[in-house]
Amino acid sequence: LGFEIGDDFQQECDSFEAEVVPQNLPALLFAAKTVQKPFSTIKGPDVLDLSIEHVNEEIRGSVYASDSRMVNAIDDFPDFQTGAQSITKVQLYLDVHPDDFSEGDPSWEIAFADNGSEAVEESVSFVFPGNNLSLGRHMLFAQATDSDGYRDSVTSVFVEVSTGKRSLHGTSLRGAGSPLP
């Protein structure tokens, strides 16, 4: 996989930072997220938004996943699409990457916000106790699965639990800007 970006061999810094980075960072991050299993991971639904907040000693958040927004149709094969299956579940993991998960590690399978109807796009809300989190930085990982059993690449946010009000702040690893189109 190769990326040719910019319009000059030695791109001007202002142009690079103002145009090249914002236009290409989402694609570069997506490529980095799918590098382990590129041909199966891209078939799974995409977690396009993961947000969290700390409210009254609870961790509250939402996940938006889609199996249709980033579907690629191949030219001359309009019936072939890489996704359009319903999303069957979203799994959350705290402080452990899904590939390293062991029995007993904190994880949650999230119930769908739309009462379980399976669709190609899902908004999923979650609430779990946050009063037992230790102070410091934690990592929350999310992964969606579609009806064909394909899992997407892992999306994650940093969670900072600080002293005082034990406030919780999430920072996405996706980078600046809006979700991928």
Side-chain angles (χ1 to χ4, degrees), residues 4 18 21 53 88 104 107 132:
E4 187 171 329
V21 171
E53 64 181 343
T88 57
S107 71
N132 58 352

Side-chain angles (χ1 to χ4, degrees), residues 41 45 62 122:
T41 304
S62 64
E122 291 283 357

Side-chain angles (χ1 to χ4, degrees), residues 53-101:
E53 64 181 343
H54 187 254
V55 178
N56 298 328
E57 296 297 323
E58 292 180 327
I59 307 295
R60 296 175 182 236
S62 64
V63 177
Y64 170 69
S66 174
D67 202 33
S68 63
R69 271 189 75 191
M70 293 182 56
V71 171
N72 293 319
I74 297 176
D75 289 340
D76 300 324
F77 294 96
D79 294 335
F80 178 80
Q81 293 189 346
T82 58
Q85 297 80 23
S86 58
I87 298 171
T88 57
K89 70 177 180 177
V90 174
Q91 192 79 25
L92 294 178
Y93 304 85
L94 184 64
D95 292 332
V96 62
H97 191 279
D99 291 343
D100 299 325
F101 178 77

